[in-house]
Amino acid sequence: MSLKKCERCKGELEAEKLKYSIVIPESILSVEQIHLLTNSTYVRNHNNFCIERCYNLSLLDELINRYGFFLMSPEDNFFDIAQDVPQAKETLRKLKDFKIEYAS
């Protein structure tokens, strides 16, 4: 039997399947929005992380990367560029700020 490693820190995973909760405040992104943005992969793959902190830091990295990607070509990713781009920039800033706070 091979031991699986945590996707984030490469620590060993527990034998039991764990269920972690999302710590990102709803004021930044709702759980439903997170599920839509990540195609619910973090719901199905929560047992690939050793602790809840690794799970949430990885989720934050994924969301920050997605928002950064969306903002690189706004005409392909937003319906109303004048309204949606400033809101996406604000959400990206809040995600980055929260990650710094959560990681420390």
Side-chain angles (χ1 to χ4, degrees):
M1 178 177 152
S2 65
L3 293 174
K4 288 184 74 178
K5 301 285 184 185
C6 175
E7 285 187 16
R8 180 163 179 81
C9 72
K10 306 306 179 208
E12 290 187 15
L13 296 178
E14 297 292 324
E16 64 188 59
K17 293 194 176 208
L18 304 172
K19 177 93 172 145
Y20 301 124
S21 60
I22 295 172
V23 297
I24 299 169
E26 293 266 335
S27 61
I28 297 175
L29 279 177
S30 71
V31 172
E32 292 81 20
Q33 289 172 312
I34 293 169
H35 289 183
L36 286 171
L37 288 167
T38 64
N39 196 24
S40 295
T41 56
Y42 280 84
V43 174
R44 294 188 303 271
N45 297 326
H46 63 269
N47 57 339
N48 292 338
F49 301 94
C50 60
I51 58 174
E52 188 169 76
R53 183 180 177 146
C54 283
Y55 170 80
N56 279 292
L57 287 172
S58 182
L59 177 58
L60 282 163
D61 286 340
E62 177 69 20
L63 292 169
I64 289 167
N65 288 339
R66 287 186 186 244
Y67 268 88
F69 176 77
F70 294 158
L71 288 167
M72 286 193 306
S73 55
E75 59 282 343
D76 296 333
N77 295 296
F78 299 103
F79 293 117
D80 182 358
I81 292 176
Q83 179 181 352
D84 295 342
V85 169
Q87 185 176 358
K89 286 180 181 178
E90 178 68 12
T91 300
L92 179 59
R93 184 192 61 75
K94 287 179 179 180
L95 285 169
K96 287 179 178 179
D97 290 348
F98 182 74
K99 181 183 174 195
I100 292 168
E101 177 185 321
Y102 184 69
S104 60

